[in-house]
């Protein structure tokens, strides 16, 4: 164990970790699709640092943009002041997002973007004189972040937040969509959801979900028809639809936004993670014209939120550079190539005794196991294979940077198959 790991164990918290001696690896540097450890080992990155580093690490275009911005205007408060990087970023997001989204609230992280979305929905109904519409309808298997408002719409069981159930607002939950991505799904598949919308009609502010791909709550890919029917249902019932594209946004599913698979537009859209290409933390909540008008009409006539680091110019510059790279268009072919390589490379896992399911969509590959993995054993085993994979529960999954080459993809899928074959 390196000295740094010992110091870390004494003073530092990691995500969902305590003081126990779970495996921890010191990183020396990152470049392209490689993570170099302090002991000299080099790992092919299978996680894109949780969906974010889509162009690989230290992309020269993003680095140059951040350096230029650093020398001119790294950050300035956003209350009463504005700047070109923020304004232009909001314009570019609106140009690329599903139609009807008109205005952008910038924030620092995905969870906050979800908090903002929920607040917008509640203020929308308050402004309309319907303050009793303050509950949300969410899906089981969903994940929307770790802050209190976001936690309350995560899967109540797998959402990792059971501990706080007694202090969270009680929202309404429907089963996760049953039909897989690529399968068709009739309106009858939404019978339960329709009943819930009817039963809670007077008190529902919005439906919130992750379109097409449920991420950290189960890595489940569902039918695009479901989203189409849901959009129609929200329209009929007059409730808002919030799409959380924090994981799926910016090309991961093969479309720039996952909503495009269904040809629908939400009333409120959350993005984050890949927004800056994984360099700096930034998120955004986009709202429709109708939502914006309501927020500025009713009492208090302003939207009640304002983070200290709102509109951080360095993060905006990184986001511009990431959007430039996406605009260049290579990502569509890259993600299609990753999809093919993951589908064929992970297929051998299907026959393994420990494996319950293998599924691939766009740049995401999932091997669902029958039992939760033992991280103590499995994490070092992946590192031995020269790959960085971070499973949770029964899910071993990968979403590599779009720029990954064929040889590294093979190393990823071979390494996953090798480790999974030692399980169960
Ligand atoms: C990661 C994630 C969040 C939370 O984002 P943070 O930046 O970790 O706060 C919310 N929703 C979805 C779908 C996510 O994948």
């Amino acid at each position: 164990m390196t000295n740094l790991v010992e110091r870390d164990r004494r003073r530092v918290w990691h995500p969902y970790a305590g003081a126990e001696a779970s495996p921890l690896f010191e990183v020396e540097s990152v470049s392209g699709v490689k993570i170099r450890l302090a002991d000299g080992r080099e790992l092919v990155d299978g996680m894109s640092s949780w969906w974010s580093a889509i162009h690989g690490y230290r992309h020269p275009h993003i680095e140059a943009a951040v350096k230029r911005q650093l020398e001119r205007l790294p950050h300035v408060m956003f209350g009463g002041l504005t700047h070109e990087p923020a304004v232009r970023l909001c314009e570019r997001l609106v140009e690329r997002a599903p139609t009807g989204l008109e205005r952008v609230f910038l924030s620092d992280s995905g969870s906050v973007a979800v908090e903002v979305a929920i607040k917008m929905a509640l203020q929308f109904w308050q402004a309309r004189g319907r303050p009793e519409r303050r509950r949300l309808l969410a899906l089981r298997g969903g994940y929307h972040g770790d802050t209190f408002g976001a936690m309350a719409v995560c899967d109540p069981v797998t959402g990792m937040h059971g501990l706080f159930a007694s202090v969270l607002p009680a929202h309404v939950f429907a089963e996760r969509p049953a039909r897989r991505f690529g399968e068709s799904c009739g309106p009858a598949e939404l019978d339960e959801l329709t009943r819930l919308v009817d039963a809670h009609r007077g008190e529902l502010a919005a439906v919130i979900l992750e379109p097409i791909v449920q991420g950290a709550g189960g890595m489940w890919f569902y039918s695009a028809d479901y989203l189409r029917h849901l959009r129609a249902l929200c329209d009929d019932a007059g409730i808002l639809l919030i799409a959380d594209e924090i994981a799926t946004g910016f090309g991961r599913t093969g479309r720039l936004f996952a909503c495009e698979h269904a040809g629908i537009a939400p009333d409120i859209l959350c993005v984050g993670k890949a927004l800056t290409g994984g360099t700096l933390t930034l998120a955004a909540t986009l709202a429709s014209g109708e939502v914006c008008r309501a927020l500025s009409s009713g009492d208090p006539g302003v939207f009640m939120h304002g983070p200290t680091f709102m509109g951080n110019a360095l993060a905006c510059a990184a986001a511009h550079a990431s959007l430039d790279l996406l605009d260049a268009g290579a990502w569509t072919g890259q993600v299609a190539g990753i999809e093919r390589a993951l589908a064929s490379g992970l297929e051998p896992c299907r026959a393994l005794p420990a494996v319950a399911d293998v599924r691939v969509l766009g740049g995401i590959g999932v091997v669902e196991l029958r039992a939760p993995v033992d991280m103590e054993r499995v994490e070092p085993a992946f590192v031995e294979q020269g790959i960085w994979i971070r499973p949770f529960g029964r899910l071993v999954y990968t979403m590599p940077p779009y720029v990954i080459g064929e040889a590294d993809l093979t190393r990823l899928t071979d390494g996953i198959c090798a480790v999974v074959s030692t399980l169960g």
Side-chain angles (χ1 to χ4, degrees):
M1 200 190 293
T2 63
N3 183 33
L4 188 86
V5 170
E6 281 166 26
R7 282 163 49 208
D8 181 294
R9 291 218 196 285
R10 226 171 5 249
R11 297 286 183 233
V12 184
W13 260 303
H14 284 263
Y16 289 93
E20 86 287 7
S22 59
L24 192 59
F25 304 91
E26 181 181 346
V27 177
E28 188 259 328
S29 61
V30 289
S31 174
V33 301
K34 299 286 166 58
I35 298 173
R36 179 184 275 275
L37 299 182
D39 63 14
R41 286 184 290 182
E42 211 172 55
L43 310 179
V44 175
D45 178 27
M47 303 304 290
S48 298
S49 284
W50 280 330
W51 313 84
S52 65
I54 54 177
H55 311 292
Y57 299 101
R58 305 197 50 217
H59 193 288
H61 184 64
I62 301 180
E63 258 187 19
V66 173
K67 280 181 183 156
R68 267 197 315 275
Q69 192 61 44
L70 183 62
E71 283 162 11
R72 181 167 163 185
L73 193 186
H75 180 74
V76 66
M77 65 183 280
F78 213 51
L81 298 172
T82 192
H83 46 75
E84 171 75 19
V87 175
R88 184 76 196 112
L89 178 61
C90 295
E91 290 170 350
R92 289 180 87 182
L93 288 174
V94 165
E95 282 162 18
R96 284 156 187 76
T99 49
L101 298 164
E102 290 187 0
R103 203 161 162 154
V104 184
F105 191 98
L106 296 169
S107 58
D108 348 68
S109 77
S111 298
V112 174
V114 169
E115 298 287 333
V116 165
I118 293 172
K119 237 188 214 188
M120 282 178 177
L122 300 191
Q123 261 197 252
F124 174 86
W125 288 111
Q126 265 163 15
R128 293 235 168 150
R130 302 289 306 275
E132 70 284 3
R133 286 193 157 217
R134 54 170 179 251
R135 291 182 84 186
L136 291 132
L137 195 156
L139 300 185
R140 293 191 185 274
Y143 177 78
H144 298 286
D146 291 351
T147 52
F148 276 78
M151 269 200 289
V153 287
C154 290
D155 184 294
V157 182
T158 67
M160 309 179 268
H161 306 130
L163 203 58
F164 308 105
S166 63
V167 291
L168 294 176
H171 294 307
V172 181
F173 287 88
E175 286 308 317
R176 77 175 191 184
R179 299 280 170 210
R180 287 171 187 260
F181 184 79
E183 292 180 348
S184 61
C185 146
E189 301 276 342
L190 282 77
D191 274 356
E192 186 216 11
L193 196 126
T194 310
R195 268 197 309 278
L196 289 170
V197 166
D198 273 344
H200 298 279
R201 190 174 287 257
E203 53 176 2
L204 281 182
V207 172
I208 181 166
L209 50 63
E210 299 152 277
I212 303 296
V213 173
Q214 288 189 308
M219 299 301 293
W220 176 245
F221 312 150
Y222 62 88
S223 171
D225 290 344
Y226 183 96
L227 267 190
R228 271 189 284 273
H229 297 312
L230 180 67
R231 176 71 268 188
L233 186 63
C234 289
D235 288 340
D236 287 349
I239 51 182
L240 300 173
L241 176 59
I242 303 171
D244 177 351
E245 293 233 25
I246 290 164
T248 51
F250 308 107
R252 183 51 72 179
T253 68
R255 302 290 187 93
L256 196 59
F257 295 100
C259 282
E260 294 171 21
H261 289 286
I264 61 131
D267 302 291
I268 300 174
L269 173 73
C270 303
V271 296
K273 289 197 163 100
L275 175 56
T276 65
T279 47
L280 286 150
T281 180
L282 185 68
T285 310
L286 285 73
S288 70
E290 194 188 356
V291 170
C292 299
R293 280 188 296 277
L295 296 197
S296 52
S297 66
D299 190 33
V302 296
F303 179 58
M304 302 294 278
H305 208 87
T308 303
F309 282 93
M310 185 169 183
N312 179 262
L314 280 182
C316 291
H320 279 294
S322 179
L323 288 179
D324 293 342
L325 296 172
L326 290 170
D327 285 354
W331 68 272
T332 52
Q334 291 165 341
V335 171
I338 295 171
E339 182 169 39
R340 281 192 299 275
L342 291 179
S344 63
L346 295 177
E347 190 55 30
C349 287
R350 206 180 287 279
L352 298 172
V355 173
D357 189 37
V358 175
R359 45 187 183 265
V360 172
L361 171 60
I364 316 165
V366 180
V367 178
E368 185 175 334
L369 305 173
R370 297 186 193 281
V373 295
D374 171 7
M375 292 291 271
E376 294 274 323
R377 196 164 78 75
V378 157
E379 198 74 295
F382 284 122
V383 171
E384 281 305 309
Q385 294 287 332
I387 63 177
W388 181 244
I389 297 289
R390 176 90 180 157
F392 65 84
R394 298 189 297 112
L395 298 162
V396 174
Y397 64 105
T398 180
M399 54 287 193
Y402 301 165
V403 295
I404 192 170
E406 235 170 274
D408 286 332
L409 267 171
T410 304
R411 193 151 142 204
L412 268 184
T413 53
D414 285 357
I416 292 173
C417 292
V419 172
V420 169
S421 71
T422 66
L423 303 175

